[in-house]
Amino acid sequence: LAEGGGPETPGHLKHCFPGRIFGLGAEGLFDKIFRHVGEGTFEAAYRRERGATYLGSGPGVSPPAWRPEVALDAACCPVAAGNEPRREQQLRRPVQLPRWLKMLKRSPDVCDCGEIWTLRGLGPGRGFLVNVDTTLTDMHLAGSFVIHWRYVVVSLGGEHCQLDAEIELEWKERSLMESRVELSTLDNFRRAFEEIFLPLADQALRRGLSNSVPSNEVDTSTIESFALAASSSASDRDWSEGYDGDWTESTKYELRIEILSASELESPEYRVGDFTRGLMAGGSAALHAVYVELTLGARTFKTACADTAGGQPAVNFVDERALFVFGGEAELKVACYDKRGWQSAIRGDPQIGSGNLRLEAALRDCFPRWADVPLARGSTAFAGFVSLRYQLLAVSRAGVQQCSIAPPLMTEIAPTT
């Protein structure tokens, strides 16, 4: 961005999520993804996958289009401030907050929101920004913040461009739940971008691209940035510890995992002293220092402990990533524990629950995935779940390799003209 559109070009938003490189120019990507709205378009498919609906929609109601209309081959062209093409729309969509937080704040399952889309060109042959400002209504803290997010499309020369995403929350009023709400918002935005937006974009662009590079040939640098895009801050912990010892010349894949959170957790196994400990803490000390263990083959990775703020049955993990050599294992074992001191001397830390994540053959498309792994323990059929972001990468001694398997198609998108 600093090189793209002159002195008035805005800087990055606070959180940046690398996307991928596509085999067509920036103008062509705008035509396929952003230009058209309504049934049979990318916009309608993405909105439907996210469970959003237009307020007051019905027969004969058309989605709002760009005003003024964007001329052909002009998406990258800068215009005077205040004259940029805009779209304004009112939507109803699911509230994306952890269940415990929704119950604590009595938030509804759905909320109304207003979105203002603005197109800003970075210069002919350079790319463009699609900025979106979102305000929420009908839910707790709705008037406390505005969500700013954008899609960044930058030309890479010839018939290639890169599409990334950025987001930032602007807080109008301070809140004790600010960090939790912000983290949940960021995770949900990134999950929608990687799980829904990018695969749908790939589907849309694979239609009618006979003269360009096949979009299922993922650029090596994009794969790398996908896997390492979790945070701009580096963790002090070595998330690849033990990896080199597992590596062999026959290694073809590695599995990269980010542990995001554990939610809706039940009380752990009983340990001597728990009853007294609970009484002294007013009954809210069932969970104290939660950690997660991941096991693939013979190697186990354990996160640092996360505190349950306010005694809530949920924790968030920051910069917790694991790297495994993948040898074709069918599943990843996931277990959640509560850290104890002297109480763990005989029987170890009490387990909250455990579960398995199936590692399907489709992972070889090398696209990032997200999963909420359900936990169980003994007669407790549901003991919570652990949220993960994971990705299989084709590797060799030379580095990350290209993947040749296209991601699965999602909602059908009709060709546009």
Side-chain angles (χ1 to χ4, degrees), residues 77-92:
C77 298
V79 298
N83 294 328
E84 300 99 337
R86 290 161 57 97
R87 292 179 52 230
E88 297 188 22
Q89 58 190 22
Q90 299 292 319
L91 299 175
R92 177 164 293 157

Side-chain angles (χ1 to χ4, degrees), residues 1-42:
L1 292 179
E3 300 174 356
E8 295 183 357
T9 299
H12 290 288
L13 297 181
K14 184 176 180 181
H15 305 277
C16 306
F17 303 128
R20 65 167 300 181
I21 294 171
F22 291 102
L24 80 171
E27 294 288 353
L29 187 140
F30 178 84
D31 291 341
K32 286 284 186 178
I33 303 300
F34 297 106
R35 178 179 295 278
H36 304 284
V37 297
E39 280 306 309
T41 68
F42 175 88

